[in-house]
Amino acid sequence: VGEFSLIDKYFAARGRARPDVVLGIGDDAALLRCPPGQLLVVSIDTLVSGVHFPANTAAADVGYKALAVNLSDLAAMGAEPAWATLALTLPGEDEAWIAAFCDGFFELAESTGVALIGGDTTRGPLTVTIQVHGWVPPQQALLRSGARPGDLVYVSGTIGDAGLGLAHAQGRCNLDPGVASDCVRRLARPQPRLELGHALRGVASAAIDVSDGLSADLGHILRRSGVGALLELDSLPWSAAFRANAACAEGLVVQQVDGVPAAAAFSLCAGDDYELCVAVNPRNQDLLQDIAQRTGCPLTCIGRIEAQAGLRVRLPGGEVVPFLPRGYVHF
Amino acid sequence: VGEFSLIDKYFAARGRARPDVVLGIGDDAALLRCPPGQLLVVSIDTLVSGVHFPANTAAADVGYKALAVNLSDLAAMGAEPAWATLALTLPGEDEAWIAAFCDGFFELAESTGVALIGGDTTRGPLTVTIQVHGWVPPQQALLRSGARPGDLVYVSGTIGDAGLGLAHAQGRCNLDPGVASDCVRRLARPQPRLELGHALRGVASAAIDVSDGLSADLGHILRRSGVGALLELDSLPWSAAFRANAACAEGLVVQQVDGVPAAAAFSLCAGDDYELCVAVNPRNQDLLQDIAQRTGCPLTCIGRIEAQAGLRVRLPGGEVVPFLPRGYVHF
């Protein structure tokens, strides 16, 4: 089958219709109606086989994750998602692979109300680029640049699970079989925190999603905001699966950081969790607990924004030391 | 240098500021202001090294062309361009290559008023995905689906030059040295027909840009419109360079089509010209001549839309035969 019958069969016929899509797949470009008074929010991300996911990743997981990591960027802006475009480069015409990819992609697209409005399929090494489009009212977007000294630092859910899942999938550690699939699923099917991001409009002073690792991503907030932070290592939110495999995490840390427990260092540097890390003025603490309850998404206070630049951590013994993201290579 | 300093140095600092860009490169997503009452027009296209351009193509030409082929899609919709995102996958951190890529990209971005608003740089086989965003008033977009029997078929500029340029660059033919560089430049630096597309709003009944070859792209108009067409081979607009190298073109046709002169077959199937092919109601013929004059872009009538499905060509002897795009592989 040629490019056009592939597109018709697997892409154009699927996914939800939205009344704001005037013209979708099938012409030189898509035509879209914009809601008045909102800002358009766009983000584009590429996943390369063998770089951003192991080459043997199931096609459905590739489709799901490629959309999820992009929607996670919209979540981190507090935006409501609307549309996606998909540029898919494939080494061959493996219809079963494409069908499975679409199953994963559209599962998430449908549950988040996202319409696929256009794309391009090309021949070459397996690469998936997705651009997502969403909406946020002016002045309500969550930026990286709004953190202020005195703000509290929160992270949603738990961190480190996807990092363990990746190491397990790569054969670099052996997780307890009872929890391995939880971690691998966390890696394969990240859940973009869209509802949480939306709820944090007007509440968080800064936000980012945790894709490269909590310390690296918080570092972007610190640089853009011109501030620093102190994190409490005792407060890092770990899942039961992570706690049960802390020894695995310790074994994966390439470079020891003086005094920092290895499992804590791992969970600060491991990527792919797609949680939100936010800075919040202390006066909004109560609001935050309401939001956690309403969205069913735990929020843990892990530290505080400080005027002094750089990232520091308080060791279990009470000592405060600088912490630079290090010793962990994504894939 | 890491990903972020690369982005800061080569991408974030360059290109025009637009008042509609509330937040550009550097956060989780870009924030954009939409003009009221217009439709958003988006198109995404990928160029893969070794597939869509020879692997030894100059970096500046890759940057220019990757944006040009996307803007050409906006031109084919009659849209006014505004913003671009860039997902760039690179095998290594070759700063000289990136700097040259940016030179080409921003040369065209600046001359067309396009702001780079976001992107992603990843490690992997050289692949360039660009999404462009533009605007068109409702009901004025040029679609593939609007051609009606009796409409005249026009093509802008000349066709076949880029195809000759590609064959020359690949060593598959030897063009006259006096004109070879014209053809190669046509291949490397296509000129998106933005002004022409804009002028054709409300005038053309259907439009497409010629990327895969005139017969293939006109074929999309015919299928989407549920019509056919008859082209006059005598009317195909050839450049002086093409005419001087018609023998080369003839030698490049893999499969002869009975009765169709080989040079004509070549120019109907060769891609990469990025001209516009449009269907126009005969009552708009005079308007079209005004537009050609105003935009400095020649428009040649090459045939007529017919009710009978399929593409036909009139041979120089007067006989009409069916014509299927064939015998030419893009790269």
Side-chain angles (χ1 to χ4, degrees):
Chain A
V1 295
E3 182 195 346
F4 294 99
S5 42
L6 272 183
I7 291 171
D8 286 344
K9 184 166 172 188
Y10 292 105
F11 297 104
R14 292 190 61 168
R16 72 160 52 204
R18 288 177 56 107
D20 52 14
V21 180
V22 177
L23 185 69
I25 294 169
D27 212 298
D28 292 299
L31 296 176
L32 305 155
R33 204 174 284 121
C34 303
Q38 304 256 320
L39 294 181
L40 176 64
V41 189
V42 306
S43 181
I44 188 167
D45 263 312
T46 298
L47 300 188
V48 180
S49 177
V51 179
H52 301 94
F53 57 87
N56 63 352
T57 303
D61 290 342
V62 176
Y64 191 100
K65 182 166 182 168
L67 181 57
V69 305
N70 276 282
L71 291 177
S72 181
D73 283 319
L74 291 188
M77 300 296 285
E80 183 176 355
W83 315 306
T85 53
L86 166 66
L88 184 58
T89 302
L90 295 169
E93 274 173 11
D94 180 343
E95 277 205 57
W97 194 96
I98 296 171
F101 175 92
C102 283
D103 286 344
F105 179 91
F106 284 111
E107 180 183 333
L108 182 58
E110 278 154 31
S111 70
T112 53
V114 170
L116 180 68
I117 53 161
D120 190 20
T121 57
T122 49
R123 186 64 56 92
L126 180 56
T127 309
V128 188
T129 298
I130 289 177
Q131 178 162 323
V132 286
H133 313 70
W135 301 102
V136 74
Q139 316 299 336
Q140 292 195 36
L142 307 175
L143 308 187
R144 294 179 179 178
S145 54
R148 296 293 171 261
D151 283 355
L152 301 172
V153 179
Y154 281 80
V155 67
S156 63
T158 61
I159 56 164
D161 304 271
L164 282 185
L166 177 62
H168 183 81
Q170 292 175 320
R172 292 191 291 117
C173 73
N174 271 304
L175 298 181
D176 179 327
V179 301
S181 66
D182 286 356
C183 293
V184 171
R185 187 169 173 83
R186 188 76 195 276
L187 173 75
R189 299 260 171 158
Q191 299 303 308
R193 296 291 195 182
L194 288 162
E195 206 190 340
L196 177 63
H198 190 289
L200 289 169
R201 289 179 184 175
V203 176
S205 44
I208 194 168
D209 66 321
V210 180
S211 54
D212 295 332
L214 180 59
S215 56
D217 292 314
L218 176 57
H220 296 316
I221 287 184
L222 303 184
R223 267 190 304 282
R224 293 270 164 199
S225 300
V227 295
L230 169 62
L231 298 187
E232 310 288 336
L233 289 189
D234 281 344
S235 304
L236 295 177
W238 289 347
S239 68
F242 189 89
R243 287 179 195 280
N245 289 278
C248 283
E250 286 163 14
L252 291 162
V253 174
V254 179
Q255 225 179 315
Q256 290 291 335
V257 184
D258 280 348
V260 177
F266 178 84
S267 67
L268 283 173
C269 296
D272 275 327
D273 285 319
Y274 296 98
E275 296 294 349
L276 296 187
C277 175
V278 299
V280 178
N281 188 298
R283 70 163 179 263
N284 288 340
Q285 256 181 299
D286 292 347
L287 273 175
L288 222 60
Q289 291 321 312
D290 293 348
I291 289 169
Q293 221 157 20
R294 180 150 49 88
T295 60
C297 175
L299 286 164
T300 306
C301 181
I302 58 172
R304 188 177 284 270
I305 299 292
E306 299 179 330
Q308 185 197 344
L311 180 61
R312 292 162 293 282
V313 296
R314 191 189 313 274
L315 303 180
E319 196 190 345
V320 170
V321 298
F323 186 87
L324 293 170
R326 81 193 95 176
Y328 186 84
V329 173
H330 177 263
F331 181 66
Chain B
V1 296
E3 182 194 347
F4 294 99
S5 42
L6 271 182
I7 290 172
D8 286 345
K9 184 166 173 189
Y10 291 105
F11 296 104
R14 291 189 61 168
R16 73 160 51 203
R18 288 177 57 107
D20 51 14
V21 180
V22 178
L23 185 69
I25 294 170
D27 212 298
D28 292 299
L31 295 176
L32 306 155
R33 203 173 285 120
C34 303
Q38 304 257 320
L39 294 181
L40 176 64
V41 189
V42 306
S43 182
I44 187 166
D45 263 312
T46 298
L47 300 188
V48 180
S49 176
V51 178
H52 301 95
F53 56 87
N56 63 352
T57 303
D61 290 342
V62 176
Y64 191 100
K65 183 166 181 168
L67 181 57
V69 304
N70 276 283
L71 291 176
S72 180
D73 283 319
L74 291 188
M77 300 296 286
E80 184 176 353
W83 316 305
T85 53
L86 167 66
L88 184 57
T89 302
L90 294 168
E93 272 174 9
D94 180 343
E95 276 205 56
W97 194 95
I98 295 171
F101 176 92
C102 283
D103 286 343
F105 179 92
F106 284 111
E107 180 183 334
L108 182 58
E110 278 154 31
S111 70
T112 53
V114 169
L116 181 67
I117 53 160
D120 190 21
T121 58
T122 49
R123 185 65 56 91
L126 179 56
T127 309
V128 188
T129 297
I130 289 177
Q131 177 161 321
V132 287
H133 312 69
W135 301 102
V136 73
Q139 315 300 336
Q140 292 195 36
L142 307 174
L143 308 187
R144 295 179 178 178
S145 54
R148 296 292 170 262
D151 283 356
L152 301 171
V153 178
Y154 281 80
V155 67
S156 64
T158 60
I159 57 167
D161 304 88
L164 281 183
L166 177 61
H168 183 81
Q170 292 175 320
R172 293 191 290 118
C173 74
N174 272 303
L175 298 181
D176 178 329
V179 301
S181 66
D182 287 355
C183 293
V184 170
R185 187 168 174 83
R186 188 75 195 275
L187 173 75
R189 300 260 170 159
Q191 299 303 309
R193 296 293 194 180
L194 288 162
E195 204 189 343
L196 176 62
H198 190 290
L200 289 170
R201 289 178 184 176
V203 176
S205 44
I208 194 168
D209 66 322
V210 180
S211 54
D212 295 331
L214 180 59
S215 55
D217 292 315
L218 175 57
H220 296 316
I221 287 184
L222 303 184
R223 265 189 306 281
R224 293 268 165 201
S225 301
V227 296
L230 169 63
L231 297 186
E232 309 287 336
L233 290 189
D234 281 344
S235 303
L236 295 177
W238 290 346
S239 69
F242 188 90
R243 288 179 193 281
N245 289 278
C248 283
E250 287 163 13
L252 291 162
V253 174
V254 178
Q255 223 179 317
Q256 289 292 334
V257 184
D258 279 350
V260 176
F266 178 84
S267 67
L268 283 174
C269 296
D272 276 325
D273 285 318
Y274 296 98
E275 296 294 350
L276 295 187
C277 175
V278 298
V280 177
N281 188 298
R283 69 165 177 259
N284 288 340
Q285 257 182 298
D286 292 347
L287 275 174
L288 222 61
Q289 291 320 312
D290 293 349
I291 289 168
Q293 218 155 22
R294 179 149 49 89
T295 60
C297 174
L299 286 165
T300 306
C301 181
I302 58 171
R304 187 177 285 269
I305 300 292
E306 298 179 328
Q308 186 197 344
L311 181 61
R312 292 161 293 281
V313 296
R314 191 188 313 275
L315 303 180
E319 197 191 345
V320 171
V321 298
F323 186 87
L324 292 170
R326 82 192 92 178
Y328 185 81
V329 174
H330 177 264
F331 181 65

